[in-house]
């Protein structure tokens, strides 16, 4: 845990406390990454759920916590997290540190924007455009022309597309360009 330090002010009190807090968060994150590479450390400091529930106060406070408490929670979270970057961690879904992915996560979180319109996120919208175009080229669409959607919930795609299908009365037996025929 973090050594006892003076209580910090909320980030809204100025630039200096905000930068100091974020630097301390980065230090915690980088220490975790370094520790993940150490073969002499555990992959996980496993505790049963009831043990963790008893060891920490899990009640949601009515008042905001100060920044020192948030830093302590960051450290606690990482203490009990599985170190997926650990050399002895093996899993069919994830393994190893994806340093480019991690940097991209930090970048998008730091930008603190949404990805809905060019006015709000010009670079992210253009990245989405060129990525979808390249994906369409890979599957054989001429010149990468067409449309696409990034959707974290795959099952929502048919629901989103259904009104277009109903409106045009089209039937599409495959994803091949030009395969759609009006009924």
């Amino acid at each position: 845990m973090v050594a006892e330090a003076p209580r910090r002010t909320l980030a809204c009190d100025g630039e200096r406390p905000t930068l100091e807090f974020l630097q301390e968060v980065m230090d915690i994150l980088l220490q975790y990454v370094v520790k993940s590479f150490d073969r002499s450390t555990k992959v996980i400091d496993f505790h049963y759920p009831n043990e963790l529930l008893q060891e920490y106060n899990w009640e949601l406070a009515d008042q905001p916590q100060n920044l020192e408490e948030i830093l302590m929670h960051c450290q606690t979270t990482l203490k009990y997290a599985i170190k997926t970057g650990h050399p002895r961690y093996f899993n069919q879904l994830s393994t190893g540190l994806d340093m480019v992915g991690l940097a991209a996560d930090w970048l998008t979180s730091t930008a603190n924007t949404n990805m809905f319109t060019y006015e709000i996120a010009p670079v992210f919208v253009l990245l989405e455009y060129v990525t979808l175009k390249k994906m369409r080229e890979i599957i054989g669409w001429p010149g990468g022309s067409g449309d696409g959607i990034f959707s974290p919930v795959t099952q929502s795609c048919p629901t989103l597309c259904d009104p277009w299908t109903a409106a045009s009365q089209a039937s599409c037996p495959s994803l091949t360009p030009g395969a759609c025929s009006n009924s």
Side-chain angles (χ1 to χ4, degrees):
M1 291 304 203
V2 174
E4 197 61 37
R7 291 179 68 89
R8 300 179 197 290
T9 58
L10 294 177
C12 62
D13 288 343
E15 182 179 320
R16 189 181 54 76
T18 301
L19 294 176
E20 288 174 359
F21 171 74
L22 291 176
Q23 183 61 58
E24 289 191 51
V25 170
M26 287 301 301
D27 292 345
I28 290 168
L29 296 175
L30 291 173
Q31 288 170 10
Y32 174 79
V33 168
V34 169
K35 191 173 184 180
S36 292
F37 294 143
D38 185 354
R39 290 180 182 271
S40 68
T41 62
K42 296 179 181 179
V43 173
I44 183 173
D45 185 0
F46 180 80
H47 288 70
Y48 288 102
N50 61 333
E51 293 173 333
L52 285 178
L53 285 171
Q54 291 173 7
E55 191 168 337
Y56 295 98
N57 179 9
W58 290 84
E59 296 300 319
L60 298 178
D62 292 331
Q63 299 298 316
Q65 295 188 336
N66 65 48
L67 299 180
E68 187 65 37
E69 291 168 320
I70 293 170
L71 290 171
M72 288 177 17
H73 292 311
C74 290
Q75 289 181 319
T76 301
T77 299
L78 294 176
K79 177 181 178 183
Y80 296 108
I82 294 176
K83 295 174 190 71
T84 57
H86 195 283
R88 291 193 171 94
Y89 174 78
F90 301 101
N91 182 279
Q92 68 275 19
L93 298 178
S94 62
T95 186
L97 173 68
D98 177 0
M99 64 181 173
V100 174
L102 180 59
D105 280 347
W106 288 350
L107 175 75
T108 56
S109 292
T110 301
N112 193 28
T113 187
N114 63 53
M115 310 299 174
F116 300 130
T117 64
Y118 182 82
E119 292 81 10
I120 299 297
V123 173
F124 293 116
V125 168
L126 291 176
L127 283 171
E128 180 181 50
Y129 172 78
V130 298
T131 301
L132 285 169
K133 183 176 187 253
K134 184 65 172 182
M135 290 169 64
R136 290 187 300 264
E137 288 172 359
I138 289 170
I139 62 170
W141 290 44
S145 64
D147 204 351
I149 186 172
F150 283 129
S151 177
V153 182
T154 307
Q155 295 167 335
S156 68
C157 236
T159 306
L160 293 171
C161 295
D162 187 56
W164 296 103
T165 303
S168 68
Q169 298 177 351
S171 71
C172 294
S174 74
L175 292 176
T176 306
C180 296
S181 62
N182 289 333
S183 333

